[in-house]
Amino acid sequence: MIGLISATAAGATARDRLAAAWPARTRVYDGSVADAGSAGSAGSAGSAGSAGSVGDAVRRAFVECDQLVCFLATGAVVRLVAPLLADKRTDPGVVCVDEAGRFAVSLVGGHGGGANELAREVGELLGAEPVVTTATDAVGMPGLDTLGLPVEGDVAGVTRALLDGEPVGLDVESAWPLPALPLAAEGACTVRVTDRAVEPAEHLVILRPPSLVVGVGASKGAPVDEVLGLVEDALRDAGLSARSVAELATVDAKAEEPGIVGAAERLGVPLVTYTAGELAAVDVPNPSDAPLTAVGTPSVAEAAALVRGGELLVPKRKSARADGQPAMATVAVVRRAARGRLAVVGLGPGARDLLTPRARDELRRASVLVGLDQYVDQIRDLLRPGTRILESGLGAEEERARTAVSEARRGQAVALIGSGDAGVYAMASPALAEASDDIDVVGVPGVTAALAAAAILGAPLGHDHVSISLSDLHTPWEVIERRVRAAAEADIVVTFYNPRSRGRDWQLPKALAILSGHREPTTPVGVVRNASRPDESGRVTTLAGLDPATVDMMTVVTVGNTATREIAGRMVTPRGYRWQEEPK
């Protein structure tokens, strides 16, 4: 929950904008006696609304919320929160917004409390400039405590060494997809990625990968303390860290067993279940008749841990009860192999403001970037220092796809980029054809050339439409012609990609001739070159008036259907045909 605190009418106005935009995330704390009646601002998830001093409001919000946004001067907030600060790992993140709404300042808990990201979110919503002074953010380096993995050890000391340019070694027991970090083979400081129970030490940071799966079986009514104690004992005896447990796993018949559910909750991990049939198909070293009779599989703990593969580190073991009664719980622990990550990212049509925030995040998350050289140049400044760039020229699409998948299989965090939407005539298709289920794949949508061109032309895609590439490098012309003819006969708006090049100058005239057999010469045609880029140009002509010689590979051509009209210089395809009916 985010606590919102203000003391003046100007602050309350900005406060209420946040409350209305984030109704489920925010709670208003009234810091002004005169403004007590506005404490229950409409749209907020709640209000701690009894009137009182700003100090009272800040103190209550600090205890009750995960983050605070204070519409106050930074000096005032510093004095108010200073006595409340205890530990940066547990203190809430605090953001200050000046009453004019010009700046959103990350004041406390930039990483641990999420204040840096909150400042950016608040800035985007209010039109304020986010002010982030954390050293790692200032130089574009991810904080060691922001990598998405539990972290232990000398974070401040190792981070300072990185910022000072000192060599910091990386010790990785199994490759894990991390963003780009300026790490070396060895150094006076070390970042170690391990699931082993290593003790933190000076000059050492330990990152805990989610590599361990604990399979759990339990009799009906097994106490949560017995299940949790067995899990913790098994991990400790094997020299493993509980912070690397990714999930507990069991048979679906035990999905609501209180002892198992409670153990997962107390460990802070999800409970994953499988059918008895799925578990019975897993080859395990220690099958038993008891679970076969009870739930239909000869193994629960070992099979649930192994069902998705991995190395069995702790074979099935039973709990030991002080009262001498039979054990009510069993566990087994498996280490799953690290999985690389491939993000297939659409960069949009070219304009920086049409690159989505999600695409930016993926570019900064990657340690390896693969892409066409001219696309790499577009976003090179967004990459973190140390990102390894693998670029190539036109015509090497399949090679780039193989390279990206290969790097992901090595455990890297890879971003494979393409223009527009990566799934539309771009890199997603060859990459996913190459990839198997041994890596994680994330698709990041982008604004396609067809959509960017349509926005320039007006609304040509208001009804059914189709995109067709006229390049016969990958598709035989006979197939392309059949598709164009089908679109013509179906009266569908057509957007042509790759319409014409120096070596392919006859395909567009042929496609237009096919459409002309089903549409009037006056049918509107939109021609857009370099959509969204500085030298963008767009015009509306007609099917008869289009000169194919004015079109090149940087152009998108959109041909309307029989309902498309030019209205006030814009190309418009109505959502229905009814408007064309003549009144009787």
Side-chain angles (χ1 to χ4, degrees):
M1 187 63 66
I2 303 171
L4 307 179
I5 301 111
S6 63
T8 66
T13 298
R15 174 202 71 190
D16 290 347
R17 287 177 60 192
L18 280 188
W22 298 337
R25 298 176 62 189
T26 57
R27 179 182 297 162
V28 171
Y29 289 80
D30 186 14
S32 169
V33 173
D35 196 32
S38 70
S41 173
S44 66
S47 171
S50 59
S53 70
V54 171
D56 289 339
V58 169
R59 283 187 287 273
R60 284 186 293 138
F62 198 91
V63 172
E64 298 170 358
C65 296
D66 303 309
Q67 295 174 317
L68 279 67
V69 179
C70 301
F71 298 87
L72 305 164
T74 54
V77 178
V78 167
R79 287 190 293 273
L80 289 170
V81 303
L84 307 175
L85 299 175
D87 189 322
K88 69 177 185 178
R89 292 171 295 184
T90 57
D91 290 335
V94 180
V95 171
C96 288
V97 179
D98 64 292
E99 293 193 351
R102 296 170 301 170
F103 303 103
V105 183
S106 173
L107 187 67
V108 173
H111 286 165
N116 290 353
E117 184 57 34
L118 180 60
R120 296 184 182 100
E121 288 187 82
V122 170
E124 184 175 352
L125 185 61
L126 298 181
E129 180 71 22
V131 179
V132 177
T133 58
T134 309
T136 50
D137 292 76
V139 299
M141 185 179 78
L144 296 174
D145 52 354
T146 67
L147 301 179
L149 301 179
V151 61
E152 302 170 16
D154 187 9
V155 174
V158 175
T159 298
R160 174 52 55 193
L162 288 170
L163 292 171
D164 289 345
E166 298 177 7
V168 174
L170 176 63
D171 180 4
V172 180
E173 294 181 3
S174 60
W176 209 264
L178 299 175
L181 289 165
L183 299 174
E186 58 183 23
C189 295
T190 302
V191 174
R192 184 174 180 183
V193 184
T194 181
D195 56 21
R196 300 184 185 278
V198 179
E199 288 297 321
E202 190 177 9
H203 306 311
L204 173 66
V205 164
I206 302 169
L207 297 176
R208 299 296 189 189
S211 55
L212 304 179
V213 177
V214 180
V216 182
S219 302
K220 184 176 182 180
V224 63
D225 287 341
E226 182 171 346
V227 177
L228 182 61
L230 179 59
V231 171
E232 292 174 339
D233 289 346
L235 293 169
R236 183 182 60 253
D237 293 348
L240 300 170
S241 171
R243 302 192 74 186
S244 279
V245 175
E247 63 192 38
L248 296 194
T250 191
V251 67
D252 57 7
K254 297 294 180 178
E256 298 181 3
E257 185 62 45
I260 297 178
V261 173
E265 290 175 348
R266 284 160 65 172
L267 285 168
V269 299
L271 177 62
V272 178
T273 63
Y274 300 96
T275 66
E278 289 175 304
L279 299 187
V282 179
D283 185 24
V284 298
N286 300 292
S288 173
D289 292 335
L292 180 61
T293 302
V295 293
T297 172
S299 173
V300 173
E302 288 181 341
L306 285 167
V307 67
R308 288 172 55 193
E311 176 189 3
L312 183 63
L313 301 180
V314 180
K316 180 179 69 175
R317 60 185 287 178
K318 299 179 180 180
S319 54
R321 308 195 71 188
D323 58 8
Q325 295 298 312
M328 299 189 72
T330 58
V331 301
V333 182
V334 162
R335 177 186 288 137
R336 287 184 182 160
R339 292 172 63 87
R341 188 175 191 275
L342 173 61
V344 188
V345 181
L347 301 180
R352 181 57 62 84
D353 60 354
L354 291 181
L355 178 69
T356 67
R358 188 179 299 179
R360 287 173 180 262
D361 290 345
E362 288 295 345
L363 293 175
R364 296 182 67 77
R365 180 172 179 166
S367 60
V368 179
L369 181 87
V370 182
L372 179 67
D373 48 14
Q374 64 189 56
Y375 298 153
V376 172
D377 289 340
Q378 292 177 23
I379 48 83
R380 196 182 297 270
D381 62 303
L382 297 178
L383 304 177
R384 292 195 186 276
T387 302
R388 188 155 55 97
I389 300 173
L390 304 176
E391 54 188 318
S392 53
L394 286 168
E397 288 82 3
E398 293 183 357
E399 177 188 342
R400 285 195 292 275
R402 285 193 295 269
T403 298
V405 171
S406 175
E407 289 292 329
R409 285 181 175 144
R410 293 178 54 234
Q412 302 295 317
V414 182
L416 174 63
I417 59 174
S419 67
D421 182 283
V424 179
Y425 302 122
M427 294 305 303
S429 180
L432 269 61
E434 184 75 21
S436 51
D437 63 357
D438 56 347
I439 61 173
D440 295 324
V441 178
V442 178
V444 182
V447 178
T448 70
L451 296 180
I456 295 165
L457 295 171
L461 308 183
H463 208 294
D464 296 337
H465 54 275
V466 63
S467 296
I468 299 176
S469 171
L470 293 184
S471 172
D472 55 2
L473 295 178
H474 298 286
T475 307
W477 174 254
E478 294 76 13
V479 175
I480 296 173
E481 181 173 335
R482 189 163 64 245
R483 291 170 180 172
V484 174
R485 197 173 303 281
E489 294 173 352
D491 196 26
I492 296 176
V493 175
V494 182
T495 297
F496 289 124
Y497 280 72
N498 307 312
R500 185 176 181 273
S501 67
R502 292 177 181 176
R504 296 184 302 100
D505 58 0
W506 58 268
Q507 286 90 341
L508 179 59
K510 177 66 173 177
L512 295 175
I514 294 171
L515 292 173
S516 296
H518 299 268
R519 299 177 194 182
E520 296 296 328
T522 56
T523 299
V525 175
V527 181
V528 177
R529 189 177 189 277
N530 284 332
S532 88
R533 301 186 184 188
D535 55 347
E536 163 191 297
S537 64
R539 59 191 173 92
V540 179
T541 181
T542 64
L543 195 54
L546 174 61
D547 179 4
T550 63
V551 173
D552 62 13
M553 284 289 287
M554 305 303 294
T555 305
V556 173
V557 177
T558 301
V559 181
N561 64 14
T562 58
T564 304
R565 295 291 183 268
E566 182 179 350
I567 302 174
R570 303 180 186 92
M571 187 173 173
V572 180
T573 301
R575 294 185 62 187
Y577 286 73
R578 196 173 303 169
W579 71 283
Q580 297 183 86
E581 296 177 359
E582 296 291 338
K584 296 181 180 178

